[in-house]
Amino acid sequence: MTRDSITYQFDYEVSFAYELGFTGSYERAPETHDIEVLSIWDNYEDKPLTGCEFDSMANKVEEYINDYLNEL
């Protein structure tokens, strides 16, 4: 898996690992990317998210990461 990081909504730094899925063709539909959120740093509070906060934010940010990977 490849590792990368992005800024989400200017408040969070998100580190993640991913494998790109097939982007699609005339005969085949696209496949989803395999994304694993590794850590989320809250820039406003200057601390990492943990527990339920992490799980909730990871679910929200996965779609954003998927869109980011589609543009690579």
Side-chain angles (χ1 to χ4, degrees):
M1 293 187 103
T2 305
R3 291 182 180 227
D4 200 353
S5 63
I6 58 169
T7 302
Y8 179 68
Q9 296 182 348
F10 302 106
D11 292 333
Y12 303 98
E13 294 295 325
V14 181
S15 296
F16 61 97
Y18 69 93
E19 286 187 28
L20 293 177
F22 180 69
T23 56
S25 69
Y26 183 74
E27 294 87 19
R28 271 179 66 192
E31 298 171 355
T32 58
H33 305 299
D34 183 21
I35 301 168
E36 179 183 352
V37 177
L38 303 173
S39 66
I40 303 173
W41 185 266
D42 186 333
N43 292 327
Y44 183 72
E45 295 188 18
D46 199 31
K47 67 176 188 164
L49 296 185
T50 58
C52 292
E53 285 182 321
F54 175 84
D55 293 339
S56 175
M57 184 57 70
N59 290 337
K60 292 177 187 176
V61 79
E62 280 184 2
E63 184 175 335
Y64 181 81
I65 293 171
N66 192 58
D67 292 342
Y68 166 77
L69 293 175
N70 284 338
E71 295 179 14
L72 290 180

